Amino acid sequence: MNRSEYETMMRGAGQRDYEIYLNTERLLACQKEPEALCNPDELQFMIVHQVEELWMKLMATTLLDIHDEMLAGRTLKALTLFRRVHICQEMMTAQLALLETMSPKDYQDIRLLLGNGSGQESPGFRVLLKMPKDLWAAYKAIYLEDGARTLEQVYDSQYSHDAAYMIAEALAEFDEQFQKFRNAHMQLIYRSIGVAANSLKGRPVEILNEGLKQKFFPELWTVRAEMTDRWGGSYGQKRSKLEPKPYA
Ligand code: HEM
């Protein structure tokens, strides 16, 4: 078979049950036709972004379910769903590496076609930025019992590795994974368009540094810093040096 026959085969006929159920005809028509691509890397560029949008859709939907499970006090179910979200986050970050196989020159061709678009317009990303506020409100209402418990108790003075601790750690993991994505994305930008370049909106890419510092659940990071400070107060800020152990 020649190249164009294979390309036709890739689209499928859309008639088999698998194709009908998964709507492969529409799905596989979401990318430009081969002859319309500015270069072969453009297909990868589109697919990576589209797949990332799908993972974000799954994550956002799952976070809505997690919110409901937390309000219902169904901790084990919420934790299973958190695991699903965390795996999606890991995949989102890992998949950015695909775009590092694209040369800076090939990306410049693609970039000419992007108008002044920006990932900040991504529907999935925008909704994910909003959701943590509601998740935190649900956490405080249910697991901190509307103010009857504190994070200090959950993490330190009454620490028992209980539901409140497990859900808090799942939220911290979400926060951490989000940062890992942002950091990997920043490295991808450096790799593709360089350090100190401007975005298609004419803004320096350094504006993304603000996002790199964002914490969705600052209290979860503060609680451990305060523990460290308290412990440091009791054993001294500066420890004495360890004595080398002689070989037996
Ligand atoms: C070669 C590949 C890529 C380059 C060069 C690139 C470049 C950029 C730049 C320059 C910005 C800042 C734009 C502005 O001024 O608003 C940005 C933002 C963003 N991009 Fe990308 N990007 C790439 C791939 C991706 C991919 C695959 C995703 C997948 C979802 C993505 C998602 C985002 C998001 C979510 C933002 C907003 C980030 C934030 O506000 O913290 N980008 N990108």
PDB file of all heavy atoms in Angstrom, residues 30-57:
ATOM      1  N   CYS A  30     -10.381  15.643  13.788  1.00  0.00           N
ATOM      2  CA  CYS A  30     -10.063  16.852  14.563  1.00  0.00           C
ATOM      3  C   CYS A  30      -8.668  17.393  14.263  1.00  0.00           C
ATOM      4  O   CYS A  30      -8.274  18.424  14.808  1.00  0.00           O
ATOM      5  CB  CYS A  30     -10.159  16.575  16.066  1.00  0.00           C
ATOM      6  SG  CYS A  30     -11.841  16.377  16.647  1.00  0.00           S
ATOM      7  N   GLN A  31      -7.905  16.670  13.471  1.00  0.00           N
ATOM      8  CA  GLN A  31      -6.566  17.163  13.106  1.00  0.00           C
ATOM      9  C   GLN A  31      -6.602  17.556  11.624  1.00  0.00           C
ATOM     10  O   GLN A  31      -7.459  17.081  10.879  1.00  0.00           O
ATOM     11  CB  GLN A  31      -5.498  16.065  13.315  1.00  0.00           C
ATOM     12  CG  GLN A  31      -5.385  15.583  14.749  1.00  0.00           C
ATOM     13  CD  GLN A  31      -6.494  14.595  15.115  1.00  0.00           C
ATOM     14  OE1 GLN A  31      -6.842  13.721  14.337  1.00  0.00           O
ATOM     15  NE2 GLN A  31      -7.062  14.761  16.305  1.00  0.00           N
ATOM     16  N   LYS A  32      -5.663  18.410  11.262  1.00  0.00           N
ATOM     17  CA  LYS A  32      -5.600  18.810   9.847  1.00  0.00           C
ATOM     18  C   LYS A  32      -5.338  17.602   8.960  1.00  0.00           C
ATOM     19  O   LYS A  32      -4.674  16.648   9.392  1.00  0.00           O
ATOM     20  CB  LYS A  32      -4.440  19.790   9.636  1.00  0.00           C
ATOM     21  CG  LYS A  32      -4.676  21.170  10.193  1.00  0.00           C
ATOM     22  CD  LYS A  32      -3.486  22.050   9.801  1.00  0.00           C
ATOM     23  CE  LYS A  32      -3.660  23.448  10.300  1.00  0.00           C
ATOM     24  NZ  LYS A  32      -2.479  24.291   9.993  1.00  0.00           N
ATOM     25  N   GLU A  33      -5.819  17.661   7.738  1.00  0.00           N
ATOM     26  CA  GLU A  33      -5.500  16.617   6.761  1.00  0.00           C
ATOM     27  C   GLU A  33      -4.003  16.682   6.453  1.00  0.00           C
ATOM     28  O   GLU A  33      -3.409  17.784   6.520  1.00  0.00           O
ATOM     29  CB  GLU A  33      -6.298  16.844   5.473  1.00  0.00           C
ATOM     30  CG  GLU A  33      -7.802  16.620   5.630  1.00  0.00           C
ATOM     31  CD  GLU A  33      -8.134  15.198   6.078  1.00  0.00           C
ATOM     32  OE1 GLU A  33      -7.442  14.251   5.652  1.00  0.00           O
ATOM     33  OE2 GLU A  33      -9.086  15.039   6.861  1.00  0.00           O
ATOM     34  N   PRO A  34      -3.380  15.555   6.107  1.00  0.00           N
ATOM     35  CA  PRO A  34      -1.931  15.545   5.890  1.00  0.00           C
ATOM     36  C   PRO A  34      -1.440  16.653   4.948  1.00  0.00           C
ATOM     37  O   PRO A  34      -0.442  17.314   5.223  1.00  0.00           O
ATOM     38  CB  PRO A  34      -1.674  14.156   5.282  1.00  0.00           C
ATOM     39  CG  PRO A  34      -2.809  13.323   5.750  1.00  0.00           C
ATOM     40  CD  PRO A  34      -3.985  14.230   5.935  1.00  0.00           C
ATOM     41  N   GLU A  35      -2.203  16.897   3.871  1.00  0.00           N
ATOM     42  CA  GLU A  35      -1.713  17.888   2.893  1.00  0.00           C
ATOM     43  C   GLU A  35      -1.810  19.318   3.440  1.00  0.00           C
ATOM     44  O   GLU A  35      -1.177  20.233   2.916  1.00  0.00           O
ATOM     45  CB  GLU A  35      -2.463  17.751   1.552  1.00  0.00           C
ATOM     46  CG  GLU A  35      -3.967  17.854   1.581  1.00  0.00           C
ATOM     47  CD  GLU A  35      -4.687  16.572   2.064  1.00  0.00           C
ATOM     48  OE1 GLU A  35      -4.015  15.595   2.437  1.00  0.00           O
ATOM     49  OE2 GLU A  35      -5.927  16.594   2.082  1.00  0.00           O
ATOM     50  N   ALA A  36      -2.593  19.517   4.514  1.00  0.00           N
ATOM     51  CA  ALA A  36      -2.733  20.878   5.063  1.00  0.00           C
ATOM     52  C   ALA A  36      -1.709  21.184   6.163  1.00  0.00           C
ATOM     53  O   ALA A  36      -1.622  22.321   6.624  1.00  0.00           O
ATOM     54  CB  ALA A  36      -4.156  21.044   5.611  1.00  0.00           C
ATOM     55  N   LEU A  37      -0.961  20.164   6.590  1.00  0.00           N
ATOM     56  CA  LEU A  37       0.020  20.392   7.665  1.00  0.00           C
ATOM     57  C   LEU A  37       1.183  21.229   7.137  1.00  0.00           C
ATOM     58  O   LEU A  37       1.646  21.001   6.014  1.00  0.00           O
ATOM     59  CB  LEU A  37       0.565  19.054   8.173  1.00  0.00           C
ATOM     60  CG  LEU A  37      -0.453  18.134   8.867  1.00  0.00           C
ATOM     61  CD1 LEU A  37       0.145  16.734   9.053  1.00  0.00           C
ATOM     62  CD2 LEU A  37      -0.885  18.721  10.207  1.00  0.00           C
ATOM     63  N   CYS A  38       1.649  22.180   7.961  1.00  0.00           N
ATOM     64  CA  CYS A  38       2.773  23.009   7.485  1.00  0.00           C
ATOM     65  C   CYS A  38       4.072  22.211   7.487  1.00  0.00           C
ATOM     66  O   CYS A  38       4.983  22.512   6.728  1.00  0.00           O
ATOM     67  CB  CYS A  38       2.898  24.284   8.313  1.00  0.00           C
ATOM     68  SG  CYS A  38       3.524  24.029   9.974  1.00  0.00           S
ATOM     69  N   ASN A  39       4.160  21.236   8.353  1.00  0.00           N
ATOM     70  CA  ASN A  39       5.306  20.304   8.360  1.00  0.00           C
ATOM     71  C   ASN A  39       4.874  19.068   9.159  1.00  0.00           C
ATOM     72  O   ASN A  39       3.838  19.110   9.855  1.00  0.00           O
ATOM     73  CB  ASN A  39       6.592  20.962   8.907  1.00  0.00           C
ATOM     74  CG  ASN A  39       6.454  21.388  10.354  1.00  0.00           C
ATOM     75  OD1 ASN A  39       5.790  20.736  11.148  1.00  0.00           O
ATOM     76  ND2 ASN A  39       7.093  22.506  10.705  1.00  0.00           N
ATOM     77  N   PRO A  40       5.622  17.978   9.096  1.00  0.00           N
ATOM     78  CA  PRO A  40       5.161  16.748   9.758  1.00  0.00           C
ATOM     79  C   PRO A  40       4.989  16.901  11.269  1.00  0.00           C
ATOM     80  O   PRO A  40       4.154  16.241  11.873  1.00  0.00           O
ATOM     81  CB  PRO A  40       6.268  15.731   9.439  1.00  0.00           C
ATOM     82  CG  PRO A  40       6.935  16.256   8.213  1.00  0.00           C
ATOM     83  CD  PRO A  40       6.847  17.744   8.287  1.00  0.00           C
ATOM     84  N   ASP A  41       5.753  17.809  11.901  1.00  0.00           N
ATOM     85  CA  ASP A  41       5.632  17.969  13.354  1.00  0.00           C
ATOM     86  C   ASP A  41       4.317  18.606  13.783  1.00  0.00           C
ATOM     87  O   ASP A  41       3.933  18.531  14.949  1.00  0.00           O
ATOM     88  CB  ASP A  41       6.799  18.804  13.902  1.00  0.00           C
ATOM     89  CG  ASP A  41       8.034  17.941  14.097  1.00  0.00           C
ATOM     90  OD1 ASP A  41       8.544  17.424  13.083  1.00  0.00           O
ATOM     91  OD2 ASP A  41       8.447  17.751  15.253  1.00  0.00           O
ATOM     92  N   GLU A  42       3.639  19.246  12.837  1.00  0.00           N
ATOM     93  CA  GLU A  42       2.400  19.924  13.228  1.00  0.00           C
ATOM     94  C   GLU A  42       1.346  18.923  13.713  1.00  0.00           C
ATOM     95  O   GLU A  42       0.547  19.227  14.599  1.00  0.00           O
ATOM     96  CB  GLU A  42       1.846  20.780  12.076  1.00  0.00           C
ATOM     97  CG  GLU A  42       0.746  21.710  12.589  1.00  0.00           C
ATOM     98  CD  GLU A  42       0.111  22.582  11.517  1.00  0.00           C
ATOM     99  OE1 GLU A  42       0.459  22.430  10.326  1.00  0.00           O
ATOM    100  OE2 GLU A  42      -0.750  23.394  11.881  1.00  0.00           O
ATOM    101  N   LEU A  43       1.357  17.726  13.133  1.00  0.00           N
ATOM    102  CA  LEU A  43       0.381  16.722  13.573  1.00  0.00           C
ATOM    103  C   LEU A  43       0.619  16.387  15.045  1.00  0.00           C
ATOM    104  O   LEU A  43      -0.315  16.354  15.853  1.00  0.00           O
ATOM    105  CB  LEU A  43       0.488  15.454  12.714  1.00  0.00           C
ATOM    106  CG  LEU A  43      -0.490  14.342  13.110  1.00  0.00           C
ATOM    107  CD1 LEU A  43      -1.941  14.784  12.926  1.00  0.00           C
ATOM    108  CD2 LEU A  43      -0.228  13.072  12.294  1.00  0.00           C
ATOM    109  N   GLN A  44       1.877  16.182  15.394  1.00  0.00           N
ATOM    110  CA  GLN A  44       2.201  15.894  16.783  1.00  0.00           C
ATOM    111  C   GLN A  44       1.796  17.059  17.694  1.00  0.00           C
ATOM    112  O   GLN A  44       1.223  16.873  18.761  1.00  0.00           O
ATOM    113  CB  GLN A  44       3.707  15.623  16.927  1.00  0.00           C
ATOM    114  CG  GLN A  44       4.071  15.404  18.369  1.00  0.00           C
ATOM    115  CD  GLN A  44       5.566  15.380  18.618  1.00  0.00           C
ATOM    116  OE1 GLN A  44       6.031  14.516  19.298  1.00  0.00           O
ATOM    117  NE2 GLN A  44       6.295  16.331  18.072  1.00  0.00           N
ATOM    118  N   PHE A  45       2.073  18.276  17.259  1.00  0.00           N
ATOM    119  CA  PHE A  45       1.751  19.465  18.051  1.00  0.00           C
ATOM    120  C   PHE A  45       0.250  19.517  18.357  1.00  0.00           C
ATOM    121  O   PHE A  45      -0.171  19.742  19.491  1.00  0.00           O
ATOM    122  CB  PHE A  45       2.204  20.719  17.274  1.00  0.00           C
ATOM    123  CG  PHE A  45       2.053  21.985  18.050  1.00  0.00           C
ATOM    124  CD1 PHE A  45       3.016  22.372  18.977  1.00  0.00           C
ATOM    125  CD2 PHE A  45       0.939  22.799  17.877  1.00  0.00           C
ATOM    126  CE1 PHE A  45       2.877  23.548  19.707  1.00  0.00           C
ATOM    127  CE2 PHE A  45       0.793  23.973  18.606  1.00  0.00           C
ATOM    128  CZ  PHE A  45       1.762  24.354  19.522  1.00  0.00           C
ATOM    129  N   MET A  46      -0.560  19.265  17.320  1.00  0.00           N
ATOM    130  CA  MET A  46      -2.025  19.295  17.526  1.00  0.00           C
ATOM    131  C   MET A  46      -2.468  18.166  18.444  1.00  0.00           C
ATOM    132  O   MET A  46      -3.265  18.357  19.366  1.00  0.00           O
ATOM    133  CB  MET A  46      -2.762  19.136  16.184  1.00  0.00           C
ATOM    134  CG  MET A  46      -2.640  20.317  15.273  1.00  0.00           C
ATOM    135  SD  MET A  46      -3.743  20.137  13.848  1.00  0.00           S
ATOM    136  CE  MET A  46      -5.126  21.111  14.386  1.00  0.00           C
ATOM    137  N   ILE A  47      -1.948  16.962  18.188  1.00  0.00           N
ATOM    138  CA  ILE A  47      -2.413  15.799  18.951  1.00  0.00           C
ATOM    139  C   ILE A  47      -2.030  15.939  20.432  1.00  0.00           C
ATOM    140  O   ILE A  47      -2.856  15.679  21.317  1.00  0.00           O
ATOM    141  CB  ILE A  47      -1.872  14.480  18.346  1.00  0.00           C
ATOM    142  CG1 ILE A  47      -2.586  14.202  17.023  1.00  0.00           C
ATOM    143  CG2 ILE A  47      -2.067  13.314  19.304  1.00  0.00           C
ATOM    144  CD1 ILE A  47      -2.135  12.943  16.287  1.00  0.00           C
ATOM    145  N   VAL A  48      -0.820  16.377  20.701  1.00  0.00           N
ATOM    146  CA  VAL A  48      -0.429  16.507  22.115  1.00  0.00           C
ATOM    147  C   VAL A  48      -1.371  17.490  22.814  1.00  0.00           C
ATOM    148  O   VAL A  48      -1.892  17.207  23.905  1.00  0.00           O
ATOM    149  CB  VAL A  48       1.049  16.941  22.269  1.00  0.00           C
ATOM    150  CG1 VAL A  48       1.362  17.262  23.723  1.00  0.00           C
ATOM    151  CG2 VAL A  48       1.993  15.846  21.777  1.00  0.00           C
ATOM    152  N   HIS A  49      -1.620  18.622  22.197  1.00  0.00           N
ATOM    153  CA  HIS A  49      -2.527  19.589  22.839  1.00  0.00           C
ATOM    154  C   HIS A  49      -3.939  19.007  23.009  1.00  0.00           C
ATOM    155  O   HIS A  49      -4.582  19.194  24.035  1.00  0.00           O
ATOM    156  CB  HIS A  49      -2.588  20.889  22.030  1.00  0.00           C
ATOM    157  CG  HIS A  49      -1.429  21.803  22.281  1.00  0.00           C
ATOM    158  ND1 HIS A  49      -0.221  21.668  21.647  1.00  0.00           N
ATOM    159  CD2 HIS A  49      -1.283  22.844  23.129  1.00  0.00           C
ATOM    160  CE1 HIS A  49       0.618  22.604  22.077  1.00  0.00           C
ATOM    161  NE2 HIS A  49       0.002  23.325  22.979  1.00  0.00           N
ATOM    162  N   GLN A  50      -4.406  18.306  21.975  1.00  0.00           N
ATOM    163  CA  GLN A  50      -5.773  17.761  22.068  1.00  0.00           C
ATOM    164  C   GLN A  50      -5.872  16.694  23.150  1.00  0.00           C
ATOM    165  O   GLN A  50      -6.836  16.651  23.918  1.00  0.00           O
ATOM    166  CB  GLN A  50      -6.202  17.204  20.704  1.00  0.00           C
ATOM    167  CG  GLN A  50      -6.467  18.323  19.702  1.00  0.00           C
ATOM    168  CD  GLN A  50      -6.711  17.822  18.292  1.00  0.00           C
ATOM    169  OE1 GLN A  50      -6.391  16.684  17.953  1.00  0.00           O
ATOM    170  NE2 GLN A  50      -7.262  18.679  17.454  1.00  0.00           N
ATOM    171  N   VAL A  51      -4.852  15.826  23.211  1.00  0.00           N
ATOM    172  CA  VAL A  51      -4.864  14.783  24.249  1.00  0.00           C
ATOM    173  C   VAL A  51      -4.814  15.421  25.634  1.00  0.00           C
ATOM    174  O   VAL A  51      -5.541  15.016  26.543  1.00  0.00           O
ATOM    175  CB  VAL A  51      -3.677  13.803  24.046  1.00  0.00           C
ATOM    176  CG1 VAL A  51      -3.508  12.892  25.240  1.00  0.00           C
ATOM    177  CG2 VAL A  51      -3.878  12.980  22.782  1.00  0.00           C
ATOM    178  N   GLU A  52      -4.007  16.466  25.780  1.00  0.00           N
ATOM    179  CA  GLU A  52      -3.916  17.145  27.080  1.00  0.00           C
ATOM    180  C   GLU A  52      -5.283  17.728  27.461  1.00  0.00           C
ATOM    181  O   GLU A  52      -5.693  17.667  28.619  1.00  0.00           O
ATOM    182  CB  GLU A  52      -2.866  18.267  27.045  1.00  0.00           C
ATOM    183  CG  GLU A  52      -1.441  17.797  26.739  1.00  0.00           C
ATOM    184  CD  GLU A  52      -0.636  17.312  27.949  1.00  0.00           C
ATOM    185  OE1 GLU A  52      -1.200  16.606  28.792  1.00  0.00           O
ATOM    186  OE2 GLU A  52       0.552  17.645  28.039  1.00  0.00           O
ATOM    187  N   GLU A  53      -5.999  18.281  26.468  1.00  0.00           N
ATOM    188  CA  GLU A  53      -7.344  18.805  26.767  1.00  0.00           C
ATOM    189  C   GLU A  53      -8.269  17.689  27.260  1.00  0.00           C
ATOM    190  O   GLU A  53      -9.082  17.898  28.156  1.00  0.00           O
ATOM    191  CB  GLU A  53      -7.973  19.489  25.543  1.00  0.00           C
ATOM    192  CG  GLU A  53      -7.414  20.856  25.213  1.00  0.00           C
ATOM    193  CD  GLU A  53      -7.583  21.913  26.318  1.00  0.00           C
ATOM    194  OE1 GLU A  53      -8.549  21.846  27.093  1.00  0.00           O
ATOM    195  OE2 GLU A  53      -6.713  22.794  26.405  1.00  0.00           O
ATOM    196  N   LEU A  54      -8.136  16.519  26.641  1.00  0.00           N
ATOM    197  CA  LEU A  54      -8.999  15.404  27.059  1.00  0.00           C
ATOM    198  C   LEU A  54      -8.669  14.976  28.485  1.00  0.00           C
ATOM    199  O   LEU A  54      -9.567  14.710  29.291  1.00  0.00           O
ATOM    200  CB  LEU A  54      -8.849  14.221  26.094  1.00  0.00           C
ATOM    201  CG  LEU A  54      -9.456  14.430  24.711  1.00  0.00           C
ATOM    202  CD1 LEU A  54      -9.178  13.219  23.820  1.00  0.00           C
ATOM    203  CD2 LEU A  54     -10.964  14.679  24.792  1.00  0.00           C
ATOM    204  N   TRP A  55      -7.368  14.905  28.816  1.00  0.00           N
ATOM    205  CA  TRP A  55      -7.019  14.535  30.200  1.00  0.00           C
ATOM    206  C   TRP A  55      -7.541  15.584  31.172  1.00  0.00           C
ATOM    207  O   TRP A  55      -8.022  15.246  32.260  1.00  0.00           O
ATOM    208  CB  TRP A  55      -5.505  14.370  30.367  1.00  0.00           C
ATOM    209  CG  TRP A  55      -4.935  13.167  29.668  1.00  0.00           C
ATOM    210  CD1 TRP A  55      -3.802  13.137  28.911  1.00  0.00           C
ATOM    211  CD2 TRP A  55      -5.450  11.819  29.660  1.00  0.00           C
ATOM    212  NE1 TRP A  55      -3.586  11.875  28.432  1.00  0.00           N
ATOM    213  CE2 TRP A  55      -4.583  11.044  28.877  1.00  0.00           C
ATOM    214  CE3 TRP A  55      -6.565  11.208  30.232  1.00  0.00           C
ATOM    215  CZ2 TRP A  55      -4.787   9.679  28.658  1.00  0.00           C
ATOM    216  CZ3 TRP A  55      -6.787   9.856  30.008  1.00  0.00           C
ATOM    217  CH2 TRP A  55      -5.904   9.118  29.239  1.00  0.00           C
ATOM    218  N   MET A  56      -7.466  16.849  30.769  1.00  0.00           N
ATOM    219  CA  MET A  56      -7.962  17.894  31.686  1.00  0.00           C
ATOM    220  C   MET A  56      -9.474  17.793  31.853  1.00  0.00           C
ATOM    221  O   MET A  56     -10.003  18.032  32.937  1.00  0.00           O
ATOM    222  CB  MET A  56      -7.529  19.284  31.204  1.00  0.00           C
ATOM    223  CG  MET A  56      -6.047  19.535  31.428  1.00  0.00           C
ATOM    224  SD  MET A  56      -5.530  21.235  31.163  1.00  0.00           S
ATOM    225  CE  MET A  56      -5.304  21.267  29.385  1.00  0.00           C
ATOM    226  N   LYS A  57     -10.169  17.403  30.778  1.00  0.00           N
ATOM    227  CA  LYS A  57     -11.629  17.210  30.888  1.00  0.00           C
ATOM    228  C   LYS A  57     -11.926  16.080  31.882  1.00  0.00           C
ATOM    229  O   LYS A  57     -12.812  16.192  32.726  1.00  0.00           O
ATOM    230  CB  LYS A  57     -12.207  16.885  29.507  1.00  0.00           C
ATOM    231  CG  LYS A  57     -13.700  16.638  29.517  1.00  0.00           C
ATOM    232  CD  LYS A  57     -14.236  16.429  28.113  1.00  0.00           C
ATOM    233  CE  LYS A  57     -15.734  16.157  28.153  1.00  0.00           C
ATOM    234  NZ  LYS A  57     -16.314  16.040  26.812  1.00  0.00           N
TER     235      LYS A  57
END
